[in-house]
Amino acid sequence: EVQLVESGGGLVQAGGSLRLSCAASGFTFDDYAIGWFRQAPGKEREAVSYISNSDGSTYYAESVKGRFTISSDNAKNTVYLQMNSLEPEDTAVYYCAALNGVFFHGTLQTMRTRPGVYDYWGQGTQVTVSS
């Protein structure tokens, strides 16, 4: 059974930090890229960050550059998103998703940020940043 399980969300004050985890099982972790997406009320789901488990390449949305850091622990089949200097605008449900590496390496960055191309999704974890 394929599973992606997010954890680490919660309520934090502006300027604070959270560390999200995405634990994967049921598929070959090393063959996939893992992305983090978020969706705020009334807005479309947007890519926040991704990491390739094969070559370590990463992507960050412009709005989170310098504040968020993605990392992967392949031994634990887990990807982390360290979120620092959180802002109220970061409030959203955060999802992790897995994208087959063959597709990942055969596409441009713009395609890799489209939610529709990802194969597996977690249930999401709520991040709320208060002012």
Side-chain angles (χ1 to χ4, degrees):
E1 180 182 6
V2 173
Q3 285 190 301
L4 292 170
V5 180
E6 301 97 333
S7 61
L11 175 64
V12 65
Q13 293 182 345
S17 298
L18 286 172
R19 187 196 192 201
L20 305 184
S21 298
C22 174
S25 62
F27 63 95
T28 305
F29 188 75
D30 292 353
D31 292 341
Y32 284 76
I34 303 296
W36 284 99
F37 293 78
R38 67 187 183 187
Q39 188 164 22
K43 296 184 178 180
E44 295 184 351
R45 190 168 300 187
E46 64 173 346
V48 177
S49 180
Y50 62 64
I51 186 168
S52 170
N53 289 323
S54 60
D55 63 13
S57 62
T58 59
Y59 160 85
Y60 297 96
E62 188 67 28
S63 60
V64 307
K65 283 183 178 178
R67 300 189 297 119
F68 291 9
T69 303
I70 193 169
S71 62
S72 181
D73 186 341
N74 287 14
K76 296 182 178 180
N77 284 8
T78 300
V79 168
Y80 305 94
L81 185 67
Q82 179 67 45
M83 305 186 295
N84 298 326
S85 301
L86 284 162
E87 304 167 353
E89 292 74 19
D90 296 315
T91 295
V93 177
Y94 283 70
Y95 302 87
C96 67
L99 174 62
N100 186 281
V102 174
F103 185 92
F104 178 86
H105 290 290
T107 60
L108 299 174
Q109 181 175 280
T110 52
M111 185 64 71
R112 299 169 183 173
T113 62
R114 295 185 181 184
V117 307
Y118 280 73
D119 300 296
Y120 307 119
W121 290 84
Q123 81 289 343
T125 185
Q126 177 70 47
V127 171
T128 302
V129 184
S130 63
S131 59

